[in-house]
Amino acid sequence: MNTKLYRILPLFFVLALLAACTKKPVDAPPQDVALLAPDSERAIQIHVEIADEPEEHQEGLMGRTELAENTGMLFLFQETEIQSFWMKDTLIPLDIMFFGPQGKYVSHTTMTPCTEEPCPQYTSEGPARIALEVPAGFVEANGVGPDWQLAVPVQE
């Protein structure tokens, strides 16, 4: 994969994505984002649904019974702060990665399904503005961690 296509100023990424999502159609199509390795030699493309409204944040991936490889849900928040998630009525285990306002990796954890309350809370280890949920095992399999960056493709 050509990582050159995924280079973008981190702040521009967040601003552009937030602007694009403010007036999205009701059934907006998924978008592609990329995780960039610290050495910039590797980019992992992920096909994501966007959750940028409080109702979408609350519903998340509830009720899903599967999530294909390299797909997920991208959560965009108005404020950069400690973000907290739970897995109420989410039926599949997920990895969640948290990113700062400029797309820089903050932390990750693996979340397990929860069908009965009380469900555990999963929080970012630092202030975050973006969360990315993917199938459980993704983070370990791909070695995602500190110094990784979240980006969107740019047109050349």
Side-chain angles (χ1 to χ4, degrees), residues 73-99:
M73 183 168 278
L74 189 71
F75 295 81
L76 304 173
F77 299 96
Q78 295 295 318
E79 301 295 327
T80 302
E81 58 193 9
I82 301 293
Q83 301 295 343
S84 182
F85 281 68
W86 70 338
M87 294 281 285
K88 177 73 172 126
D89 295 328
T90 303
L91 308 174
I92 53 177
L94 300 169
D95 282 350
I96 187 166
M97 294 169 273
F98 296 98
F99 299 89

Side-chain angles (χ1 to χ4, degrees), residues 31-46:
Q31 298 181 15
D32 290 331
V33 298
L35 285 170
L36 301 175
D39 59 13
S40 298
E41 295 296 317
R42 187 164 58 118
I44 304 166
Q45 185 173 337
I46 304 170

Side-chain angles (χ1 to χ4, degrees), residues 54-134:
E55 301 80 28
E56 295 168 326
H57 294 164
Q58 187 174 5
E59 183 176 342
L61 294 169
M62 283 181 173
R64 308 278 178 100
T65 57
E66 63 182 11
L67 191 58
E69 184 176 342
N70 288 356
T71 64
M73 183 168 278
L74 189 71
F75 295 81
L76 304 173
F77 299 96
Q78 295 295 318
E79 301 295 327
T80 302
E81 58 193 9
I82 301 293
Q83 301 295 343
S84 182
F85 281 68
W86 70 338
M87 294 281 285
K88 177 73 172 126
D89 295 328
T90 303
L91 308 174
I92 53 177
L94 300 169
D95 282 350
I96 187 166
M97 294 169 273
F98 296 98
F99 299 89
Q102 297 174 338
K104 184 175 168 124
Y105 173 90
V106 172
S107 65
H108 77 272
T109 192
T110 299
M111 304 184 297
T112 57
C114 179
T115 56
E116 292 183 24
E117 293 188 45
C119 294
Q121 296 283 316
Y122 301 93
T123 59
S124 59
E125 292 179 11
R129 186 131 184 216
I130 304 164
L132 174 60
E133 290 181 344
V134 292

